[in-house]
Amino acid sequence: MSIAPSNPLLLRQLQPFVVGTADNVGCFDMQPFGLRVEDTHVFDPLRLASAPFLDRLCALDAAAFGPEGMPMPRWIFLDGGELTGGVVGFGLAADALPAPWREALCVPDDHVGLVPVSMYIAIPTAESGAWVGHNLSSLAARVRDPALRGLGSLTKAVALRLLRTRTQIGAAQWDSPALRVHARLGALEVISAWTPAHGKPWTVTYRARIDEPALLHLARDPRGAVDFPAPSLWLASDDHAAMGMLQDRIEAGERFRFAGRPEPLEGGGQRIPLAEG
Amino acid sequence: MLSDARALEGLSPYLVATPALQARLTERPLGLAVPRGHCFDPTRRASAPFLSRLEQLDQVVSGPLAMAMPRWAFYDCAELPGLVCGFASSAGSVPERLREVWPLEARNGPVPLSMCMAVPMLQRDRWLAYVLCDLHEALPGATPPPLRIPSLALACDLTGARRMQGVTQWSSSKLAALASFAPLSLRAAWVPAHSVPATCVVEFDAGAAAIADALAAPQRELAARPRWLDVGDPSALEMLQRELEAGAEPSILGAPRRRGGSRVVPLSPEAWEPA
């Protein structure tokens, strides 16, 4: 099946890329939703020629998360994603970059070839088809441009398809706008609601079952659909005490799922609908 | 399986992994029981104090090299997809000097003295070990004997990996620990994708016989007359990388050693002809 995101500019303007070792790329679906990944847009992190493009991935990470975010040390890009799994995203030729995009991404004047504007980094697990998604970056987080609307969602959907994902595990802060993207996959199961193992304990660890309607919904394709249960409680994204209580209930054996997408609150933050069971 | 059990006297293995992964792992790695109190689920609150100690261990060893891992990366890149394992002492038996350098927040529970992170790769039965350290590295003489080789062996046996990949800097003492599993197939010799391009990526047999060999005789004699690679010479490393990309299949045959003023690594002789 093809994919038709509600913002048609994305696929008209941008081209998919993959970073992965030759062994890993051989396991991927290199025509996700019928999109073709050009051979020149496949980058092996163990090859010298990939270095300029990988530099640009670091720049994208820095631009997307900003100085207040969690920029990833360069070696963690390699050890934590490029070697074990893959990086999938969209880019645009350097000579076609609009000036504000070029500036936000700190693209050097002499850079030629593809410049990444979004990426999804995923690490495999021991369960076949189950991946941990650990970074979703989009230039749309930094540059307000209608041409980029929905880029993060589309990137994640295409990446999950390309990686042949059946289950996705992820971690995000309860107050992160990215949670609205992740929740487009449907009724995410909450694995942890308060996570001291993370640098930011107000992190939710979730698990999503992946199927085609959910991926299309994630990509904002009108043909996509997901089901949510009716909400039985709402969690405010700044209510750490409630997160701790939720965690206690999870550790006691109760289960919770997302019952919809987070709703932004006036004055900042968001509230998240949840359902028991 | 451990040839020198005295080296591990008073220490026990520990494991950090999700319950789903724990269920897939070897029950008695290296023939050792992992005490129930030494198994940690990273998604549970009770694991937090031990995970903080792992972070402290990493800070002590990797901090001076500017390669300490952020706490979120421990979680996202190791504890959720894979595992962290190693050997731990009880808090009460941690040597006094170690207490001075590394103040403990609590006086009970296990204290990790070594750490190996392993993450599954896409190919079945292949894993990547990408952090391997012990306190002996940072504080020689203050701690139990070197624990990196037993910790790597523990990871190999726990995971049941047939092939293990490793990443390290050519200048790192970690290479000697990896070399206990030699021959190491070299996958990359100069890696601009890494913060330190003078990094190598290797792959080795991680089966039971390889583990036993590594534990029994970590510093084996070289069977063949090797070519010596000066790992302090970036141009030699980059040239070797170009050979790899052209199809060469070199192996590291043993641990690095000093020759003259240089640190050299023995490579399989057919591997590399300097230009």
Side-chain angles (χ1 to χ4, degrees):
Chain A
M1 180 180 267
S2 63
I3 197 165
S6 58
N7 177 2
L9 287 174
L10 292 172
L11 291 180
R12 205 175 295 158
Q13 193 171 16
L14 304 175
Q15 296 172 293
F17 71 81
V18 173
V19 178
T21 62
D23 287 345
N24 287 359
V25 169
C27 300
F28 296 160
D29 171 4
M30 293 301 278
Q31 294 196 29
F33 295 112
L35 300 173
R36 185 162 183 279
V37 183
E38 300 288 343
D39 291 345
T40 53
H41 295 168
V42 178
F43 301 91
D44 184 338
L46 298 183
R47 295 216 158 227
L48 295 169
S50 301
F53 185 79
L54 302 180
D55 287 343
R56 304 272 41 91
L57 286 185
C58 293
L60 170 63
D61 179 61
F65 287 99
E68 75 286 353
M70 297 183 290
M72 200 161 32
R74 190 179 175 96
W75 68 271
I76 295 179
F77 262 98
L78 179 76
D79 295 6
E82 294 165 358
L83 277 182
T84 53
V87 184
V88 183
F90 285 92
L92 186 64
D95 57 9
L97 276 179
W101 298 17
R102 173 180 285 275
E103 187 182 343
L105 293 168
C106 304
V107 181
D109 291 340
D110 60 353
H111 183 83
V112 292
L114 199 69
V115 175
V117 297
S118 69
M119 67 173 164
Y120 185 68
I121 306 178
I123 306 170
T125 71
E127 179 189 338
S128 178
W131 290 76
V132 171
H134 93 92
N135 183 313
L136 175 61
S137 297
S138 166
L139 181 60
R142 181 49 60 99
V143 176
R144 297 286 167 216
D145 185 332
L148 294 172
R149 183 175 159 70
L151 177 58
S153 306
L154 177 69
T155 300
K156 181 170 178 178
V158 170
L160 292 177
R161 169 55 70 89
L162 185 144
L163 299 170
R164 304 182 191 276
T165 311
R166 293 194 295 274
T167 302
Q168 188 249 317
I169 298 158
Q173 288 64 63
W174 283 111
D175 56 359
S176 169
L179 211 48
R180 292 172 219 156
V181 173
H182 304 314
R184 294 190 71 87
L185 283 168
L188 307 178
E189 179 189 347
V190 180
I191 300 173
S192 73
W194 180 256
T195 316
H198 195 285
K200 295 180 176 177
W202 56 98
T203 289
V204 52
T205 310
Y206 65 86
R207 175 166 35 224
R209 301 289 171 198
I210 307 298
D211 57 21
E212 181 135 323
L215 287 182
L216 291 174
H217 188 259
L218 172 62
R220 302 174 189 231
D221 184 317
R223 294 167 297 174
V226 292
D227 292 323
F228 286 109
S232 54
L233 63 106
W234 289 83
L235 181 71
S237 63
D238 62 354
D239 190 346
H240 293 183
M243 293 166 199
M245 284 189 277
L246 201 55
Q247 177 68 19
D248 289 342
R249 293 176 66 181
I250 291 169
E251 295 197 17
E254 290 189 66
R255 299 179 65 178
F256 295 88
R257 290 179 293 157
F258 277 50
R261 296 176 60 214
E263 295 180 358
L265 295 171
E266 277 185 34
Q270 55 192 2
R271 63 176 196 150
I272 300 92
L274 297 171
E276 295 164 47
Chain B
M1 187 179 275
L2 281 168
S3 63
D4 185 1
R6 285 170 304 170
L8 299 178
E9 206 171 308
L11 306 182
S12 303
Y14 72 84
L15 170 65
V16 180
T18 61
L21 179 57
Q22 285 188 28
R24 291 171 177 263
L25 299 174
T26 303
E27 232 171 82
R28 290 179 62 89
L30 307 181
L32 302 170
V34 183
R36 181 180 290 236
H38 287 201
C39 287
F40 300 92
D41 174 355
T43 66
R44 293 295 177 256
R45 281 175 142 178
S47 302
F50 186 77
L51 301 182
S52 295
R53 289 176 179 182
L54 287 181
E55 196 182 2
Q56 286 174 299
L57 168 61
D58 186 52
Q59 284 288 345
V60 169
V61 178
S62 305
L65 308 173
M67 284 185 60
M69 262 175 109
R71 191 175 174 101
W72 64 265
F74 268 76
Y75 190 63
D76 280 15
C77 303
E79 295 159 4
L80 270 186
L83 61 85
V84 186
C85 68
F87 291 92
S89 162
S90 64
S93 55
V94 170
E96 202 54 40
R97 183 183 157 204
L98 195 55
R99 289 180 187 279
E100 292 166 15
V101 179
W102 191 42
L104 300 174
E105 292 153 2
R107 291 289 174 181
N108 51 28
V111 177
L113 302 179
S114 71
M115 170 166 63
C116 181
M117 289 183 181
V119 180
M121 302 191 73
L122 205 44
Q123 295 75 32
R124 191 173 158 78
D125 298 332
R126 191 186 292 183
W127 287 63
L128 172 76
Y130 72 94
V131 167
L132 177 61
C133 64
D134 66 6
L135 276 173
H136 185 86
E137 184 180 353
L139 306 166
T143 62
L147 291 170
R148 280 182 293 185
I149 294 172
S151 300
L152 180 58
L154 183 71
C156 291
D157 205 27
L158 263 172
T159 58
R162 281 191 306 160
R163 303 282 292 172
M164 186 71 86
Q165 287 199 0
V167 185
T168 190
Q169 287 62 65
W170 285 107
S171 60
S172 168
S173 55
K174 177 180 158 189
L175 185 55
L178 289 168
S180 64
F181 282 81
L184 311 175
S185 302
L186 196 56
R187 303 292 306 271
W190 180 258
V191 189
H194 197 283
S195 317
V196 181
T199 286
C200 62
V201 180
V202 298
E203 184 173 312
F204 54 90
D205 181 358
I211 293 172
D213 284 352
L215 291 171
Q219 299 285 335
R220 268 162 288 165
E221 290 298 315
L222 297 174
R225 188 165 167 269
R227 288 192 178 279
W228 294 98
L229 172 71
D230 179 352
V231 298
D233 179 357
S235 61
L237 300 178
E238 195 166 344
M239 191 188 310
L240 182 56
Q241 175 64 27
R242 292 189 192 285
E243 293 288 328
L244 281 162
E245 294 192 15
E249 296 180 343
S251 296
I252 294 173
L253 300 178
R257 53 202 76 185
R258 306 296 307 184
R259 273 199 6 173
S262 302
R263 177 177 159 92
V264 293
V265 169
L267 292 184
S268 50
E270 72 279 12
W272 180 55
E273 289 291 348

